[in-house]
C-alpha cells in the first residue's frame, strides 16, 4: 500500500482476513477491515470503503478499543468529506478528536486538526482552514513527525494560495517538497510539484509552471496513477 500498489495490497488484506475468520480472531479482523476501507477509499469506491470502516468500527467498539476506533472514526469522516457530506464528516472528526484528547494522543489530534482544516477548505472557509492547519503543524513539529509536517505544509500552502498569498504559499510548498524528496516519497512530491505549478501559473510565470506540471505528470505516469494525471487545475 505504501508503494501505491493498491490491487496487490487489497489481495493481501483479503487473504489475511480469510485466515483470521478461519482462526476465529475477530479482534484482528478489525484491522484488516480498516485497511480494506483505506484501499477502497483510495480507489474512490466510497460505499465499499464506508462499509469496511463500519465493520472495523463495530469490532473495535465491541472490544473496547476506543483509541483504535478513533482512527476509524477519522477515516469515516474522510470518506463522508470526499462525498461532500460535510456535517457527517465533521461529526466523525469531532468524535475522533474527543477520544484522542482523552488518550493524550497529540499526533492523532494533529491529524484530526489537519482534516478539520481540509473540511473547512472544501467549504471555502479559508481562514478557518488555515487556523486548523496551523494547529496541526504546531503539533507535528512538536512530535518531530516530518512526513506529517510535510503533508500539513502542503495543505497550508493550498489555503494561503486560495487567499492569493502566493509568496507564502510557495514557501510552504517548498518546505513540503524538500521533506517529500528527503524521504524519497516521489508520489507525494508529484502532488506538491502540481501545486507549485499552479502558484507559478497564477503569477504568470508560465515556463516555471510548465516545468513543475511536467515533473508532476511524469511521476504520476510512472506510478500508474490515472487520478493524479487528471488532477483538477485549481
Amino acid at each position: 500500500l505504501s508503494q501505491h500498489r493498491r490491487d496487490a495490497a487489497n489481495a493481501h488484506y483479503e487473504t489475511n482476513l480469510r485466515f483470521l475468520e478461519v482462526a476465529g480472531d475477530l479482534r484482528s479482523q478489525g484491522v484488516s477491515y480498516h485497511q480494506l476501507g483505506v484501499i477502497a477509499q483510495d480507489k474512490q469506491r466510497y460505499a465499499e470503503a464506508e462499509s469496511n470502516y463500519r465493520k472495523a468500527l463495530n469490532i473495535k467498539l465491541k472490544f473496547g478499543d476506543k483509541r483504535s476506533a478513533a482512527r476509524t472514526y477519522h477515516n469515516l469522516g474522510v470518506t463522508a468529506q470526499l462525498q461532500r457530506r460535510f456535517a457527517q464528516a465533521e461529526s466523525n472528526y469531532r468524535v475522533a478528536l474527543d477520544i484522542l484528547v482523552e488518550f493524550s494522543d497529540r499526533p492523532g489530534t494533529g491529524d484530526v486538526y489537519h482534516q478539520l482544516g481540509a473540511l473547512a477548505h472544501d467549504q471555502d472557509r479559508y481562514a478557518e482552514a488555515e487556523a486548523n492547519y496551523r494547529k496541526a503543524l504546531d503539533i507535528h513539529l512538536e512530535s518531530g513527525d516530518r512526513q506529517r509536517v510535510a503533508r500539513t505544509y502542503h495543505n497550508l500552502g493550498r489555503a494561503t494560495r486560495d487567499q492569493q498569498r502566493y509568496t507564502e504559499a510557495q514557501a510552504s510548498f517548498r518546505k513540503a517538497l524538500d521533506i517529500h524528496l528527503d524521504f524519497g516519497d516521489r508520489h507525494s512530491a508529484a502532488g506538491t510539484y502540481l501545486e507549485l505549478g499552479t502558484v507559478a501559473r497564477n503569477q504568470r510565470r508560465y515556463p516555471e509552471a510548465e516545468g513543475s506540471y511536467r515533473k508532476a505528470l511524469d511521476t504520476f505516469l510512472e506510478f500508474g496513477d490515472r487520478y493524479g494525471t487528471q488532477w483538477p487545475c485549481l
Side-chain angles (χ1 to χ4, degrees), residues 105-135:
D105 184 340
R106 290 278 289 165
T109 60
D111 288 340
V112 180
Y113 278 124
H114 178 106
Q115 210 56 43
L116 284 168
L119 184 65
H121 200 157
D122 281 352
Q123 297 172 81
D124 300 331
R125 304 198 312 260
Y126 301 127
E128 181 183 340
E130 183 178 348
N132 280 306
Y133 289 143
R134 291 195 184 280
K135 287 180 185 176

Side-chain angles (χ1 to χ4, degrees), residues 11-231:
H12 286 305
Y13 283 123
E14 285 185 342
T15 300
N16 176 253
L17 187 59
R18 286 196 296 272
F19 279 119
L20 293 171
E21 288 170 347
V22 170
D25 186 349
L26 179 62
R27 187 166 192 162
S28 297
Q29 289 175 40
V31 176
S32 295
Y33 276 123
H34 180 99
Q35 291 302 106
L36 285 168
V38 170
I39 295 165
Q41 177 182 299
D42 201 31
K43 298 175 83 168
Q44 301 184 342
R45 301 202 306 256
Y46 300 131
E48 181 183 338
E50 188 169 348
S51 174
N52 281 312
Y53 287 143
R54 293 207 175 277
K55 289 175 184 175
L57 183 62
N58 289 338
I59 292 170
K60 291 175 180 182
L61 292 176
K62 178 182 177 67
F63 285 93
D65 191 354
K66 286 180 66 180
R67 189 168 186 171
S68 182
R71 183 167 170 245
T72 304
Y73 274 120
H74 176 273
N75 281 30
L76 276 168
V78 173
T79 301
Q81 181 179 341
L82 289 167
Q83 296 174 86
R84 304 189 69 78
R85 302 197 321 253
F86 296 136
Q88 184 180 344
E90 182 164 3
S91 175
N92 281 306
Y93 292 144
R94 294 292 177 188
V95 173
L97 186 62
D98 288 345
I99 295 171
L100 293 165
V101 168
E102 178 186 340
F103 281 89
S104 301
D105 184 340
R106 290 278 289 165
T109 60
D111 288 340
V112 180
Y113 278 124
H114 178 106
Q115 210 56 43
L116 284 168
L119 184 65
H121 200 157
D122 281 352
Q123 297 172 81
D124 300 331
R125 304 198 312 260
Y126 301 127
E128 181 183 340
E130 183 178 348
N132 280 306
Y133 289 143
R134 291 195 184 280
K135 287 180 185 176
L137 184 62
D138 288 345
I139 292 169
H140 295 325
L141 287 169
E142 172 191 310
S143 66
D145 189 327
R146 294 183 68 224
Q147 288 178 300
R148 279 183 164 97
V149 166
R151 187 167 64 102
T152 306
Y153 269 129
H154 177 97
N155 275 24
L156 186 58
R158 292 179 62 242
T160 50
R161 177 206 65 197
D162 288 343
Q163 296 173 80
Q164 299 184 346
R165 287 156 42 203
Y166 297 128
T167 301
E168 288 180 58
Q170 184 171 9
S172 290
F173 288 136
R174 289 286 177 196
K175 288 175 182 176
L177 183 64
D178 287 345
I179 297 171
H180 291 324
L181 295 176
D182 192 36
F183 277 89
D185 186 354
R186 296 178 60 245
H187 189 271
S188 294
T192 304
Y193 275 126
L194 187 68
E195 298 291 356
L196 281 166
T198 299
V199 169
R201 187 203 65 184
N202 288 349
Q203 295 180 294
R204 300 182 183 278
R205 304 195 319 265
Y206 297 125
E208 182 182 339
E210 183 175 353
S212 291
Y213 284 145
R214 290 197 181 279
K215 286 178 183 176
L217 181 62
D218 289 345
T219 305
F220 285 136
L221 288 171
E222 180 183 334
F223 278 89
D225 187 344
R226 66 188 181 91
Y227 301 117
T229 61
Q230 300 172 54
W231 206 284

